[in-house]
Amino acid sequence: MLNIQHIHHIAILTDNYEVSKQFYTEVLGFEILAEVYREERQSYKLDLSINGKYQIELFSFPDFRERASFPEAKGLRHLAFAVADIKSAYSFLKSKNVEVQEVRIDEFTGKKFLFFYDPNGQPFELYEI
């Protein structure tokens, strides 16, 4: 058995580093842990944290491929974040000009959730706890 302790980080690739940095810090509220420019790769790496627990590594590379979303591609489908109040989260995202799908109800749990995308088309979910 591997004895995995927890998820260490999630890596996300962006084609517009500054726009994504602003989105993840100012809209989603992640804290910057470290920011490095790697000259040999012409690439930024931004380490982000939420509540000091979870880490997202935001990368920029000059050579990338677009993510296939529709029809859905095999692999990671979306990343879900827990929120206490889905309606206020919806309103906040709308105030930041983020395109947000309408709030839905999970048919099995009765909990509210919604979907939106980061500036790169990465699908995210907010799930009310």
Side-chain angles (χ1 to χ4, degrees):
M1 180 168 296
L2 290 177
N3 196 24
I4 293 172
Q5 303 296 307
H6 57 85
I7 293 173
H8 182 265
H9 70 270
I10 298 156
I12 297 175
L13 177 61
T14 178
D15 65 340
N16 189 323
Y17 179 75
E18 291 303 325
V19 168
S20 292
K21 178 181 175 180
Q22 182 270 333
F23 180 82
Y24 280 84
T25 57
E26 295 178 24
V27 176
L28 297 184
F30 280 82
E31 173 189 354
I32 295 173
L33 299 174
E35 183 175 27
V36 177
Y37 182 74
R38 300 172 303 176
E39 183 68 41
E40 71 283 358
R41 299 179 85 177
Q42 298 177 345
S43 168
Y44 280 98
K45 179 180 181 276
L46 183 66
D47 294 334
L48 301 162
S49 169
I50 195 75
N51 296 325
K53 295 180 184 177
Y54 308 102
Q55 187 169 321
I56 287 181
E57 293 178 345
L58 185 64
F59 290 93
S60 68
F61 290 107
D63 183 25
F64 65 90
R65 291 187 195 108
E66 293 295 334
R67 181 183 197 280
S69 289
F70 296 101
E72 291 194 63
K74 182 169 52 173
L76 180 65
R77 187 173 187 195
H78 63 266
L79 176 59
F81 300 109
V83 295
D85 182 353
I86 199 87
K87 287 185 180 186
S88 66
Y90 174 88
S91 296
F92 177 79
L93 289 172
K94 293 294 272 187
S95 76
K96 296 292 186 178
N97 297 316
V98 175
E99 188 174 329
V100 185
Q101 294 181 4
E102 293 299 317
V103 174
R104 295 187 270 172
I105 306 292
D106 185 309
E107 63 183 283
F108 299 107
T109 66
K111 299 285 187 173
K112 297 175 188 170
F113 68 98
L114 61 79
F115 287 96
F116 66 103
Y117 296 90
D118 82 350
N120 308 291
Q122 175 66 46
F124 288 138
E125 177 183 358
L126 294 182
Y127 197 89
E128 189 173 80
I129 55 172

